[in-house]
Amino acid sequence: MIYHHDIDLARTTDALAIAELTRDATESGLAWRWTTRRVMHSIHDADTNVVVARQGIGVAGFGIMQYGQEEAHLALLAVRGAQRRHGLGSALLGWLEASACVAGCKLLRLEVRITNPGAMAFYRQRGFEEAGVAVGYYEGVEDAVRMLKRLSAPDAA
């Protein structure tokens, strides 16, 4: 089991492992867009957190979250096949949600492939709600389900 203290910000040396996991776990059937160079840019971007969970000597899972003024966008979350269903994805998401709250974000948003009901169920179980479909979101060939989660109660009027 992975705990929050086992999750840390990614290092430059993690970029290749993150890019390869992205290609294999989330971009299958699509062009490889989250290349090592793009991941490296995210690691160095002040408005983005790239976090990893390490097991042994390798990256077992990671998340990439981009921060705006009042909302955060979970760009990617992936866990290696052998490490799935052991709480790693939940721990990564929890770490990123806590960071978004500290940053003052009130809303967390993400997109998930419409052909990935397992991922949609994962996010629903963690408080996300479906907020529409983005037609052709993935390279014009696959739709995405947009999901949202409020991180704080709306201000009282």
Side-chain angles (χ1 to χ4, degrees):
M1 175 153 239
I2 297 288
Y3 300 97
H4 286 290
H5 64 271
D6 296 320
I7 297 171
D8 200 4
L9 292 173
R11 299 184 291 252
T12 301
T13 54
D14 296 321
L16 176 60
I18 291 168
E20 288 176 342
L21 180 53
T22 299
R23 180 194 62 209
D24 299 341
T26 64
E27 292 186 315
S28 61
L30 301 170
W32 188 17
R33 296 189 58 218
W34 282 91
T35 61
T36 304
R37 181 181 183 144
R38 186 172 180 191
V39 171
M40 188 84 67
H41 175 77
S42 294
I43 289 171
H44 295 291
D45 180 26
D47 294 324
T48 304
N49 271 344
V50 181
V51 295
V52 294
R54 292 180 178 62
Q55 286 185 334
I57 60 168
V59 172
F62 75 92
I64 299 177
M65 186 174 290
Q66 301 154 335
Y67 298 85
Q69 290 290 352
E70 295 203 358
E71 70 177 46
H73 178 240
L74 181 61
L76 288 169
L77 182 74
V79 175
R80 291 204 183 279
Q83 282 83 21
R84 289 185 188 150
R85 303 204 184 282
H86 297 288
L88 180 55
S90 294
L92 286 162
L93 184 58
W95 194 103
L96 290 164
E97 280 187 29
S99 297
C101 288
V102 168
C105 294
K106 296 181 174 149
L107 187 69
L108 182 54
R109 65 182 173 87
L110 60 89
E111 295 80 26
V112 63
R113 290 169 84 156
I114 202 162
T115 57
N116 192 344
M120 285 183 262
F122 170 84
Y123 291 116
R124 272 194 301 272
Q125 291 167 356
R126 283 145 191 88
F128 285 81
E129 297 177 357
E130 293 181 23
V133 173
V135 176
Y137 182 83
Y138 296 101
E139 299 175 4
V141 298
E142 188 171 347
D143 299 344
V145 174
R146 294 189 189 277
M147 300 186 83
L148 303 173
K149 180 177 182 178
R150 293 214 172 278
L151 298 178
S152 61
D155 294 335

